[in-house]
Amino acid sequence: MEKIIDEKKQGNALVMEPQERNTRKLFIESYGCQMNFSDSEIVASILSKEGYNTTQNLEEADLVLVNTCSIREKAEQTVRKRLEKYNAVKRINPGMKVGVLGCMAERLKNKFLEEEKIVDLVVGPDAYKDLPNLINEVEAGREAVNVILSKEETYGDISPVRLQSNGVSAFVSITRGCDNMCTFCVVPFTRGRERSRDPQSIVEEVNDLAAKGFKEITLLGQNVDSYLWYGGGLKKDFKNASEMQKATATNFAGLLKMVAEAQPKMRIRFSTSNPQDMTMDVIEMMAKYRNICKYIHLPVQSGSDRILQKMNRLHTREEYFQLIDNIKKLIPDCGISHDIITGFPTETEEDHQDTLSLMEYVKYDFGFMFAYSERPGTMAARKFEDDVPEEVKKRRLTEIVNLQQQHSKYNTEKYLGKTVEVLIEKESKKSDVHWSGRNTQNTVVVFPKENYKVGDFVNVKIEDCTSATLIGTGVGFSENN
């Protein structure tokens, strides 16, 4: 499952620098995972060439697009409420067109277009280049839908528009789709089979971001460790590649090396990893290069072997422990976060205790914790009864969250008295005289502004902490500036 953006940030109207020749207005909102936000930047780039500038004012928009998420039920409910809002505005501005993008498109295309008639166009994750044609169809009074999944599309030839950017950090998409058929997840059905992007185009995008002053990039994919470029095509077809293609293929460790060496002063992050696909060469590459951040988001979902098997996670509890041990051996100060789903069908109290004991073993820095909600179209929805009572799910989730808060505090307290390098990203939410940034382990650090500015790498001495934030004082610029 992909890492989900914080609920409070989940719906963001995205805005880019206006192009003077453009006369039409695009209002675009993104919900769910980082990949959706990255996709919206691709969409804005495509439509900027069609005469659209983005706007934050819904009422003035000619075209309204919502980039949707199907990972959790709450995200779908939120999108439905937004569509109701769009249509209320549309009654005042009948020339406005409304479209749904992304992961909800395939499953709900008929419902949205034909039954409820609440949208004008529906576009799947692999069809964004078809948007100009689809908009023409709508303007001609016809239905417009393209939810066909592609075996080749990676959007590697599109230069994304950095929407609402802080000018410091950016997403760089490296793979699309997923081959891991986890039974709880809709991603393989909504985003298709896994394929990777040409490494040269990735390095070129990173170099371009560095030239524009960006200081940090996140290599993005449903499962970045599965990255494999052998000239194009689906990962599953690699077995049919020629000997030359196999000999010259680039895996994720190789891509990390290329990017790290291309921009030695740029921080490199990546998300999301899958335990069964993370290999030692990736961990070794992280240890070797200072600019590859010492942080791994490593979803486990459950600590029970029985539940992991029902989830089709393709790794055991013991194999996960071995991976954690290897990470901590090579990168002792590595930050590690998780996804955990509680209340998966047939989960017993013993299974739940296995999850808590796994958390005790790892002591994650932070995590994304959810109660199971059945997603239509998934293997779990077809095969398993959602039989864990809601009150049991809530109680188990509370126990998981409380334990994680203890571990988060344990980890932040380890920084007390130490000095860490922080990349300043923005003003602190709670104080206009403090900066907020992150250290290499992805922990938020807050400190007085003094004479520092956004984009600076600053050494900060940590004097206090909460379970989520380090608090300190800047002691000078780091050597990374």
Side-chain angles (χ1 to χ4, degrees), residues 311-371:
M311 290 177 165
N312 195 37
R313 288 295 285 170
L314 304 182
H315 67 82
T316 64
R317 172 188 175 94
E318 189 56 39
E319 287 167 340
Y320 190 87
F321 285 158
Q322 287 172 4
L323 180 55
I324 293 292
D325 291 345
N326 284 331
I327 292 167
K328 292 188 174 183
K329 181 180 177 183
L330 283 181
I331 315 168
D333 60 344
C334 191
I336 304 172
S337 60
H338 66 78
D339 289 345
I340 286 175
I341 299 171
T342 190
F344 192 76
T346 77
E347 184 186 71
T348 64
E349 202 58 36
E350 185 181 356
D351 295 323
H352 173 59
Q353 292 301 321
D354 282 347
T355 295
L356 295 177
S357 69
L358 180 139
M359 292 175 68
E360 287 283 12
Y361 184 92
V362 180
K363 290 187 169 59
Y364 295 99
D365 292 70
F366 57 92
F368 300 85
M369 298 150 280
F370 314 103

Side-chain angles (χ1 to χ4, degrees), residues 92-326:
I92 303 164
N93 177 14
M96 188 177 91
K97 306 301 179 189
V98 176
V100 167
L101 313 175
C103 292
M104 283 170 68
E106 162 63 29
R107 193 168 68 77
L108 296 173
K109 62 180 185 295
N110 293 332
K111 200 170 184 63
F112 283 163
L113 266 175
E114 294 165 13
E115 294 176 32
E116 300 180 21
K117 301 190 189 311
I118 54 175
V119 298
D120 300 295
L121 68 160
V122 177
V123 190
D126 290 348
Y128 298 143
K129 286 180 182 173
D130 198 29
L131 266 165
N133 297 327
L134 295 169
I135 291 167
N136 289 337
E137 289 292 298
V138 171
E139 289 174 346
R142 294 186 287 270
E143 274 186 3
V145 56
N146 185 342
V147 293
I148 297 169
L149 293 175
S150 168
K151 294 182 179 180
E152 293 87 25
E153 186 60 78
T154 63
Y155 299 109
D157 57 334
I158 301 287
S159 179
V161 170
R162 304 299 165 180
L163 297 165
Q164 253 190 4
S165 170
N166 57 10
V168 175
S169 53
F171 296 133
V172 177
S173 177
I174 67 167
T175 69
R176 295 188 75 82
C178 187
D179 287 348
N180 294 322
M181 301 295 288
C182 300
T183 57
F184 55 78
C185 187
V186 296
V187 167
F189 306 105
T190 60
R191 287 187 173 269
R193 298 305 294 261
E194 197 169 296
R195 63 269 187 203
S196 297
R197 182 177 159 193
D198 182 346
Q200 204 52 50
S201 75
I202 295 168
V203 171
E204 286 169 5
E205 184 175 336
V206 171
N207 287 340
D208 180 60
L209 286 165
K212 290 173 178 171
F214 285 82
K215 303 295 180 70
E216 176 185 281
I217 56 109
T218 299
L219 302 176
L220 205 58
Q222 260 75 36
N223 182 13
V224 289
D225 304 274
S226 282
Y227 177 87
L228 183 63
W229 173 261
Y230 60 99
L234 297 177
K235 183 180 179 183
K236 72 181 182 66
D237 294 333
F238 180 65
K239 61 182 181 295
N240 302 322
S242 69
E243 291 306 312
M244 178 61 77
Q245 284 177 312
K246 289 179 180 177
T248 57
T250 303
N251 64 7
F252 185 53
L255 179 67
L256 277 177
K257 181 176 189 291
M258 290 171 68
V259 174
E261 290 182 354
Q263 292 297 333
K265 289 203 165 186
M266 179 176 263
R267 273 189 180 178
I268 314 300
R269 299 189 185 275
F270 56 87
S271 184
T272 294
S273 291
N274 192 300
Q276 73 204 44
D277 297 307
M278 177 164 262
T279 51
M280 282 303 296
D281 57 353
V282 170
I283 301 166
E284 289 163 359
M285 208 61 70
M286 291 178 67
K288 180 178 179 181
Y289 289 93
R290 180 184 179 278
N291 60 328
I292 301 178
C293 288
K294 307 305 181 262
Y295 164 69
I296 302 172
H297 182 62
L298 198 63
V300 66
Q301 310 302 0
S302 174
S304 159
D305 278 336
R306 190 181 70 82
I307 295 296
L308 287 171
Q309 190 172 14
K310 283 187 81 73
M311 290 177 165
N312 195 37
R313 288 295 285 170
L314 304 182
H315 67 82
T316 64
R317 172 188 175 94
E318 189 56 39
E319 287 167 340
Y320 190 87
F321 285 158
Q322 287 172 4
L323 180 55
I324 293 292
D325 291 345
N326 284 331

